Amino acid sequence: MLVLNIPDSLAEKYSGSGYALAASKNGKLVDLIYLYDVLPDFDEGQGIDREVLSNAQLAPSVRYLQSLGDVHVGMCSSWEFCEL
């Protein structure tokens, strides 16, 4: 399981626990985007499934994160990102 620390440089983007997309480069987290920021109807209580991940509204965020490095799907909590 991949676990990355959320650096102080992302403090303004970190808002506690929640599902997120993230970009990493050289083993370091470089950016993150919470799913509820991109998908207003996303219900975290139902988790992530193929339908959520194939939502076309995620495409611009995924492309942006790909430009920064490797893209991951996971959960933020306690200043860590855990890949699912």
Side-chain angles (χ1 to χ4, degrees), residues 1 6 13 29 31 33 41 46-47 51 58-60 67-70 72-76 81:
M1 173 173 28
I6 297 173
K13 292 191 171 194
L29 197 69
D31 206 350
I33 300 170
D41 297 330
Q46 294 191 0
E51 183 179 336
L58 292 178
S67 74
L68 301 176
D70 298 321
H72 311 276
V73 177
M75 182 82 174
C76 293
F81 174 84

Side-chain angles (χ1 to χ4, degrees), residues 31 35-37 49 54 56-57 63-65 83:
D31 206 350
L35 291 184
Y36 56 72
D37 286 335
D49 60 16
S54 64
Q57 290 177 296
R63 283 192 296 274
Y64 163 71
L65 293 171
E83 185 177 57

Side-chain angles (χ1 to χ4, degrees), residues 4-76:
L4 299 168
N5 290 323
I6 297 173
D8 292 340
S9 61
L10 295 178
E12 289 185 22
K13 292 191 171 194
Y14 180 71
S15 61
S17 65
Y19 290 104
L21 300 172
S24 70
K25 187 157 190 141
N26 299 322
K28 307 272 186 201
L29 197 69
V30 293
D31 206 350
L32 64 91
I33 300 170
Y34 284 90
L35 291 184
Y36 56 72
D37 286 335
V38 180
L39 304 173
D41 297 330
F42 176 64
D43 179 3
E44 290 208 351
Q46 294 191 0
I48 295 178
D49 60 16
R50 197 172 292 246
E51 183 179 336
V52 171
L53 294 177
S54 64
N55 189 311
Q57 290 177 296
L58 292 178
S61 297
V62 171
R63 283 192 296 274
Y64 163 71
L65 293 171
Q66 285 175 326
S67 74
L68 301 176
D70 298 321
V71 178
H72 311 276
V73 177
M75 182 82 174
C76 293

